[in-house]
């Protein structure tokens, strides 16, 4: 199967694309589209995180759960929304912590492409969702694919910062070799939990301090 994905990722993940679970994901998406259902993000943006952050450029991984399910929001980068779309509540809280942590001015948009271009891999555990139905594609096989992605990064790279916000993301900790990577954990930035430990976690400054300590350029978190 010829999946349209950035070449370094295609080489790393080539075996996955021929496995039954991945073919089942593709069939599921084709079936839903043939039934007239709207799927987010649009097809060309499903692998946007991979296409914007090649494998050899990855230095930070932020893990999300599910794409946004409203019109015009999702564009294949976790927590990020397209230009012209108001930042959702969790992203607003991310910006608040970013400001409090390192003084970054809170942006007037929610597009995180600038982070992704610098090596911040913004990965959702599910890469698609049915419009208006959160978690609707969570059991289609995407989790097996993205778990493999996390394991490949852990196995084949070193000195990566994995940022795990919330219980779901923290369950992926078992996929990561903590002897050669840094894991930063907190509650989710959602308004329901942000006051219970997300605010004040200082993950942005901690990530950069670790990268610098390993001789890696820090991330410019400004947008």
């Amino acid at each position: 199967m010829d999946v349209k994905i950035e070449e370094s990722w295609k080489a790393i993940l080539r075996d996955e694309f021929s496995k039954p679970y991945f073919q089942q994901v593709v069939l599921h998406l084709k079936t839903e589209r043939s039934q007239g259902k709207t799927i987010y993000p649009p097809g060309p943006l499903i692998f946007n995180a991979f296409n914007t952050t090649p494998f050899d450029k990855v230095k930070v991984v932020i893990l999300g759960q599910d794409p946004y399910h409203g019109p015009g929001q999702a564009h294949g980068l976790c927590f990020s929304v397209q230009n012209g779309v108001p930042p959702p509540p969790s992203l607003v809280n991310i910006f608040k912590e970013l400001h409090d942590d390192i003084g970054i001015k809170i942006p007037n948009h929610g597009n995180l492409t600038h982070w992704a271009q610098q090596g911040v891999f913004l990965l959702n555990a599910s890469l698609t969702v049915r419009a208006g139905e959160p978690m609707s594609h969570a059991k289609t096989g995407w989790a097996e694919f993205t778990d493999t992605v996390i394991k490949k990064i852990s196995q084949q790279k070193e000195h990566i910062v994995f940022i795990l916000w919330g219980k779901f993301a923290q369950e992926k900790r078992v996929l990561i070799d903590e002897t050669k990577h840094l894991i930063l954990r907190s509650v989710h930035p959602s308004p329901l939990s942000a006051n219970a430990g997300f605010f004040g976690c200082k993950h942005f400054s901690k990530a950069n301090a670790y990268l610098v300590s390993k001789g890696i350029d820090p991330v410019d978190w400004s947008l």
Side-chain angles (χ1 to χ4, degrees), residues 22-84:
F22 193 87
Q23 295 175 349
Q24 184 61 39
V25 171
V26 174
L27 178 62
H28 186 87
L29 295 178
K30 287 181 177 177
T31 300
E32 290 206 350
R33 287 196 182 105
S34 72
Q35 295 169 345
K37 293 173 181 171
T38 299
I39 295 170
Y40 297 130
L45 294 176
I46 290 174
F47 293 107
N48 192 24
F50 300 81
N51 295 334
T52 310
T53 313
F55 182 78
D56 60 340
K57 302 293 187 187
V58 174
K59 54 188 176 184
V60 176
V61 177
I62 297 179
L63 186 65
Q65 188 167 2
D66 200 40
Y68 296 121
H69 54 271
Q73 291 181 304
H75 64 135
L77 307 177
C78 75
F79 291 105
S80 181
V81 290
Q82 300 187 65
N83 288 328

Side-chain angles (χ1 to χ4, degrees), residues 126-180:
S126 294
L127 298 189
T128 58
V129 69
R130 197 180 308 129
E133 299 182 46
M135 303 302 295
S136 48
H137 288 175
K139 292 182 167 57
T140 62
W142 277 131
E144 185 169 348
F145 178 72
T146 53
D147 280 0
T148 298
V149 170
I150 295 167
K151 285 188 280 190
K152 295 280 189 185
I153 295 171
S154 176
Q155 291 165 358
Q156 298 189 29
K157 297 180 75 72
E158 60 182 12
H159 309 322
I160 302 296
V161 181
F162 288 87
I163 297 179
L164 309 180
W165 292 328
K167 181 175 180 291
F168 175 84
Q170 290 177 34
E171 289 173 351
K172 306 297 184 179
R173 183 178 179 179
V174 296
L175 306 173
I176 303 163
D177 182 350
E178 295 187 59
T179 66
K180 60 175 183 169

